[in-house]
């Protein structure tokens, strides 16, 4: 099973990289652009008997390593 | 008494800190590879600076899950002193030994220069070589040293006296200009609740002898190691 994990900074946490990207896009003329947030995308191949089990295992991986839950949120998608 | 310096793949201040420890202790510390499954009996563990695992995923995150870290957590819980410098601070935070998080510097730049720090309290094993409120000069060299924590944690750090050092100007004022990385409350270093674990972004070992251009860092090693002996 393929798990896709998106790790993003929690709202309100200073995101200097997102800010730098937003400044660059404003420089390119995209005046309509508001905030930009940079996150991480992680793909995992997980052997599991069903999607619920895979999700639970990946959530554990997120809590233990993939995300720093002090400042980051994570979202998990499971695909066959 | 004895000390151990933990070496991770990518540590690059392990030998510098070993020199500072040896100068203070009179003999070399144990150099312990991160895959070791046992820790020598020591009174001080140092997590040195560097770029463990190339800072992949997040600074310190992978090293925080190295086999030796279980031993270090147990030793810390039993009262062994742990000094965590720069990448070591990032590792200690990721391992849950210290509160908060270390984010990318607010200015996005790698900052490499000397900074002034205020000693917030000198009644700890790490800071007893300084006077209360003393301003010292240590070098910083990091890209992810922007200390962050939720409002409740920051309040607790202040209230419980768990801030070890703050970035200040030469006169001792914690101004925005004196803050090299955007850290909340100008925090440069923190203690755990029991104050036997201290993490800081600046490098005391890099100004620990006159030949390096300053000796402000030497007092930390001298008192840290002599008090235990």
């Amino acid at each position: 099973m393929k798990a896709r994990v998106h790790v993003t900074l929690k709202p309100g946490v200073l995101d200097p990289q997102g800010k730098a990207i937003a400044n660059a896009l404003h420089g390119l003329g995209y005046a309509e652009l508001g905030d930009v947030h940079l996150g991480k995308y992680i793909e995992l191949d997980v052997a599991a008997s069903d999607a619920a089990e895979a999700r639970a295992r990946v959530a554990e991986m997120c809590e233990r390593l993939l995300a720093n839950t002090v400042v980051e949120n994570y979202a998990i998608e499971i695909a066959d | 008494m004895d000390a151990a310096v933990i070496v991770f793949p990518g540590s690059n201040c392990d030998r510098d800190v070993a020199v500072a420890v040896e100068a203070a202790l009179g003999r070399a510390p144990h150099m312990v590879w991160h895959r070791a499954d046992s820790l020598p009996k020591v009174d001080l563990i140092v997590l040195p600076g560097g770029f463990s695992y190339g800072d992949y995923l997040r600074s310190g995150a992978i090293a925080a899950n190295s086999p030796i870290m279980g031993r270090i957590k147990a030793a810390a819980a039993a009262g062994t002193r742990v000094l965590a410098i720069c990448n070591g601070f990032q590792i200690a935070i990721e391992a849950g030994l210290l509160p908060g998080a270390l984010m990318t510097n607010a200015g996005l730049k790698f900052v490499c220069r000397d900074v002034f720090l205020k000693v917030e309290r000198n009644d700890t094993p790490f800071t007893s070589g300084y006077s209360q409120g003393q301003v010292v000069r240590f070098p910083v060299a990091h890209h992810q040293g922007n200390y962050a924590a939720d409002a409740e944690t920051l309040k607790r750090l202040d209230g419980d006296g768990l801030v070890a050092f703050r970035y200040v100007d030469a006169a001792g004022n914690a101004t925005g200009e004196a803050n090299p990385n955007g850290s909340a409350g100008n925090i440069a270093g923190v203690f755990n609740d029991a104050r036997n674990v201290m993490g800081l972004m600046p490098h005391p070992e890099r100004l620990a002898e006159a030949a390096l251009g300053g000796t402000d860092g030497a007092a930390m090693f001298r008192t840290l190691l002599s008090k235990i002996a």
Side-chain angles (χ1 to χ4, degrees):
Chain A
M1 244 165 256
K2 188 150 278 187
R4 302 191 180 99
V5 176
H6 291 266
V7 179
T8 50
L9 287 172
K10 286 184 174 170
V13 174
L14 177 69
D15 180 359
Q17 295 170 100
K19 228 166 223 162
I21 295 164
N23 287 342
L25 287 169
H26 286 147
L28 289 172
Y30 297 100
E32 76 276 22
L33 183 74
D35 285 349
V36 175
H37 297 287
L38 186 69
K40 296 186 188 101
Y41 170 68
I42 305 165
E43 269 186 14
L44 307 159
D45 281 315
V46 189
S49 52
D50 59 41
E53 184 195 333
R55 181 177 293 277
R57 292 290 284 174
V58 172
E60 192 184 307
M61 294 175 204
C62 287
E63 292 286 335
R64 294 184 66 186
L65 179 67
L66 299 178
N68 177 345
T69 55
V70 175
V71 285
E72 291 173 334
N73 288 326
Y74 59 86
I76 300 166
E77 289 168 47
I78 304 289
D80 287 327
Chain B
M1 83 141 286
D2 246 329
V5 176
I6 312 301
V7 184
F8 299 90
S11 293
N12 62 15
C13 300
D14 47 326
R15 290 177 66 180
D16 305 53
V17 88
V19 167
V21 167
E22 185 169 355
L25 187 61
R27 63 178 179 281
H30 298 273
M31 303 303 281
V32 179
W33 182 236
H34 76 123
R35 286 212 169 278
D37 53 12
S38 68
L39 192 63
K41 190 167 164 37
V42 292
D43 305 283
L44 173 71
I45 297 164
V46 183
L47 300 175
F51 295 88
S52 58
Y53 290 93
D55 277 354
Y56 292 166
L57 189 63
R58 291 181 311 278
S59 303
I62 295 176
N65 291 284
S66 285
I68 197 68
M69 289 308 294
R71 304 284 178 170
I72 293 173
K73 284 188 217 177
T80 303
R81 293 167 185 180
V82 180
L83 171 61
I85 304 166
C86 198
N87 187 237
F89 188 17
Q90 294 161 341
I91 295 167
I93 280 194
E94 286 284 346
L97 286 168
L98 292 167
L102 288 160
M103 315 281 295
T104 299
N105 294 347
L108 285 174
K109 287 183 181 151
F110 188 98
V111 180
C112 183
R113 60 178 169 89
D114 288 358
V115 296
F116 292 108
L117 302 173
K118 185 178 179 189
V119 179
E120 288 291 308
R121 57 187 302 165
N122 72 341
D123 59 345
T124 79
F126 302 92
T127 56
S128 63
Y130 304 102
S131 51
Q132 182 73 29
Q134 185 178 343
V135 175
V136 295
R137 180 169 63 96
F138 286 1
V140 288
H142 61 247
H143 193 227
Q144 265 107 28
N146 179 356
Y147 188 82
D150 57 42
E152 194 182 314
T153 303
L154 290 172
K155 205 172 147 195
R156 191 172 67 80
L157 290 175
D158 273 329
D160 293 353
L162 298 179
V163 176
F165 294 100
R166 283 184 214 273
Y167 300 108
V168 294
D169 61 21
N173 301 307
T175 62
E177 292 73 43
N179 188 340
N181 51 34
S183 287
N186 281 44
I187 291 172
V190 296
F191 298 109
N192 67 340
D193 288 329
R195 294 194 190 88
N196 66 313
V197 180
M198 183 180 81
L200 76 172
M201 286 313 295
H203 288 271
E205 79 281 13
R206 290 195 186 177
L207 278 185
E209 56 181 279
L212 298 173
T215 57
D216 280 3
M220 184 183 296
F221 295 99
R222 202 165 51 235
T223 54
L224 187 52
L225 290 155
S226 69
K227 284 283 170 65
I228 306 174

